[in-house]
Amino acid sequence: MNLETVILGFLNMEPMSGYDLSKRIDSSVGFFWHATHPQIYGTLKKMIADGYVTFDHEIQESGPARKVYTITGEGKQFLLEQLPTIEPHLVKFPLLVTMFLGSELGLEFWRKALVDQIEEQEEMLQVYYTILKEIPKVGSSQDLGGYLRKRTLDFGIDYQKFFIKWLKHTLKEIKQ
Amino acid sequence: MNLETVILGFLNMEPMSGYDLSKRIDSSVGFFWHATHPQIYGTLKKMIADGYVTFDHEIQESGPARKVYTITGEGKQFLLEQLPTIEPHLVKFPLLVTMFLGSELGLEFWRKALVDQIEEQEEMLQVYYTILKEIPKVGSSQDLGGYLRKRTLDFGIDYQKFFIKWLKHTLKEIKQ
DNA sequence: TCGAGCATGTAAATGGTTACATGATTGC
DNA sequence: GCAATCATGTAACCATTTACATGCTCGA
């Protein structure tokens, strides 16, 4: 899975601009995939050349014309080829690596670091709760898409809870 | 945090070769940081130029001479500067992204995909349990390093359990 | 004898971040 | 007036992967 596939997946829901893609990716799968705007604009350019997307200018009263991208037949075909091959996940987790390597930083450092982390992660959890309230309830049990999307949000929330619990447990044991 | 810092952290425990680093990183923080061997050899080369490490040839009866790298004073200073700044974690999690984007793949696909994932993740869990049995019990409560390292392994195990539970729950709900 | 593990590396390509660059609108 | 949001993009650099390249040893 690469950014091309992710972008095609979103354009497969509805046509949108590079700016929209950036916001949408961030606020939905942001926890599972991160992409910056230069990366998105660059990839869209490449995908035009590949014939996976087309675009139309959407003139606005103010500011530059939005480029609204639409997935093509070829794009859709590519998407459906790519999606089923689920690759293993990649992680860079500096906190845990630092824990493994950084006992020299001392007890006081770790106490404070853990307190800070707990605070940060609890803020993140609140953000997810807010999103949860905003999404529509999954209606019919026939709606696989709605169910799967809600389940990814559940993952974010439950993971966050798990992580906070682990952090608090570690802090408690370090304190005594 | 970058690979330089990770390598320096390991060389700060004991001098070792690029090959050793590759194995050690993989079997300890592999879950939190991944590095391939060309990356490690390349980074070591750069770090020699920067004066963060030195090396000695260790002649063997057979095969090429091992290059055993040792951290320098400058390297140690750089390490202690870098370690305390804990950066946010980066994740690429194709399974969850695919769930968000891939309802078109259909119920049957997802049933099978989840069953496969559960199997894979349960195998990984067994691997972590094996490592757990092999590491020495954390002795004195004074041993901060031992405690923190054990705690990173706990994270791996508890995360794996959490993930499997989430997968099984999803499979159950998808089945009916 | 064949594959796995030990042990080193280079080269090309791809992927990703950071900084630079522009300019309008809206709300405080 | 200033910050945030909308909206586009380029260029330079840095990080990472994949393929290529070599050669020895040990056990099945």
Side-chain angles (χ1 to χ4, degrees):
Chain A
M1 170 169 277
N2 54 23
L3 184 54
E4 256 169 272
T5 311
V6 177
I7 289 176
L8 286 173
F10 278 91
L11 294 181
N12 191 39
M13 295 177 175
E14 56 180 312
M16 63 185 103
S17 70
Y19 189 85
D20 295 337
L21 278 165
S22 182
K23 298 280 138 178
R24 283 282 290 272
I25 290 173
D26 222 53
S27 63
S28 58
V29 295
F31 195 72
F32 313 118
W33 196 284
H34 179 251
T36 58
H37 85 265
Q39 222 189 327
I40 290 170
Y41 287 119
T43 305
L44 282 168
K45 196 177 171 184
K46 200 203 155 235
M47 289 163 85
I48 290 281
D50 292 342
Y52 292 161
V53 295
T54 55
F55 71 90
D56 285 295
H57 284 287
E58 195 180 84
I59 312 299
Q60 303 174 105
E61 307 90 66
S62 74
R66 279 163 54 85
K67 283 190 182 175
V68 177
Y69 293 84
T70 305
I71 189 170
T72 64
E74 269 182 85
K76 177 105 189 205
Q77 200 193 314
F78 182 75
L79 174 64
L80 290 176
E81 264 165 41
Q82 296 296 306
L83 276 182
T85 66
I86 295 168
E87 281 154 51
H89 65 265
L90 291 181
V91 182
K92 298 251 144 144
F93 206 153
L95 175 68
L96 275 284
V97 178
T98 306
M99 262 199 190
F100 193 89
L101 301 174
S103 55
E104 286 185 40
L105 296 171
L107 224 86
E108 271 324 302
F109 171 86
W110 281 111
R111 263 200 258 275
K112 188 174 180 315
L114 288 167
V115 169
D116 291 352
Q117 277 291 325
I118 290 167
E119 207 176 301
E120 258 179 65
Q121 299 306 322
E122 271 176 343
E123 272 168 42
M124 280 310 299
L125 183 58
Q126 290 312 314
V127 173
Y128 295 138
Y129 275 134
T130 310
I131 299 172
L132 184 63
K133 271 180 222 144
E134 279 163 12
I135 64 160
K137 275 264 182 307
V138 179
S140 84
S141 55
Q142 243 60 327
D143 178 17
L144 181 61
Y147 174 72
L148 291 176
R149 283 193 294 278
K150 196 208 156 259
R151 216 49 205 132
T152 63
L153 181 55
D154 289 346
F155 184 98
I157 289 174
D158 293 347
Y159 169 78
Q160 210 64 20
K161 283 186 193 166
F162 153 76
F163 187 26
I164 291 169
K165 206 172 131 192
W166 179 90
L167 285 166
K168 285 185 172 171
H169 180 102
T170 311
L171 179 62
K172 203 180 109 199
E173 286 196 334
I174 251 182
K175 263 187 176 160
Q176 40 81 341
Chain B
M1 170 168 276
N2 54 24
L3 185 53
E4 256 169 273
T5 310
V6 178
I7 289 176
L8 286 173
F10 277 91
L11 294 182
N12 190 40
M13 295 177 176
E14 57 180 311
M16 64 185 104
S17 71
Y19 189 86
D20 294 337
L21 278 165
S22 182
K23 296 281 137 177
R24 283 281 290 271
I25 290 172
D26 223 53
S27 64
S28 57
V29 295
F31 195 72
F32 313 118
W33 196 284
H34 179 250
T36 57
H37 84 266
Q39 221 188 328
I40 290 169
Y41 288 118
T43 304
L44 282 168
K45 197 177 170 182
K46 201 203 154 236
M47 288 164 85
I48 290 281
D50 292 343
Y52 293 161
V53 296
T54 55
F55 71 90
D56 285 295
H57 284 287
E58 195 180 83
I59 311 300
Q60 304 173 105
E61 305 90 66
S62 73
R66 278 163 54 85
K67 282 189 183 176
V68 177
Y69 293 85
T70 304
I71 189 169
T72 64
E74 269 181 84
K76 177 104 190 206
Q77 200 192 315
F78 181 77
L79 174 65
L80 291 177
E81 263 165 40
Q82 296 297 306
L83 276 182
T85 66
I86 294 168
E87 281 154 50
H89 66 264
L90 291 181
V91 183
K92 299 252 143 142
F93 206 152
L95 175 67
L96 274 284
V97 178
T98 306
M99 264 199 188
F100 193 89
L101 301 174
S103 56
E104 285 185 41
L105 296 170
L107 223 86
E108 272 323 303
F109 171 86
W110 281 111
R111 262 200 258 278
K112 188 174 180 315
L114 287 167
V115 169
D116 290 352
Q117 276 290 327
I118 290 166
E119 205 176 302
E120 258 178 64
Q121 300 305 322
E122 272 176 342
E123 271 168 44
M124 280 310 299
L125 183 58
Q126 290 312 314
V127 173
Y128 295 138
Y129 275 134
T130 310
I131 300 172
L132 184 64
K133 270 180 224 144
E134 278 164 13
I135 64 160
K137 275 265 182 307
V138 178
S140 84
S141 54
Q142 242 61 328
D143 179 15
L144 181 62
Y147 174 72
L148 291 175
R149 283 193 295 277
K150 195 208 157 258
R151 216 49 206 133
T152 63
L153 181 55
D154 289 346
F155 184 99
I157 289 174
D158 293 348
Y159 169 78
Q160 210 64 20
K161 284 186 192 166
F162 153 75
F163 187 26
I164 291 169
K165 207 171 132 193
W166 179 90
L167 286 166
K168 285 185 172 171
H169 179 102
T170 311
L171 179 62
K172 205 181 109 198
E173 286 196 335
I174 251 182
K175 263 187 176 160
Q176 40 82 341

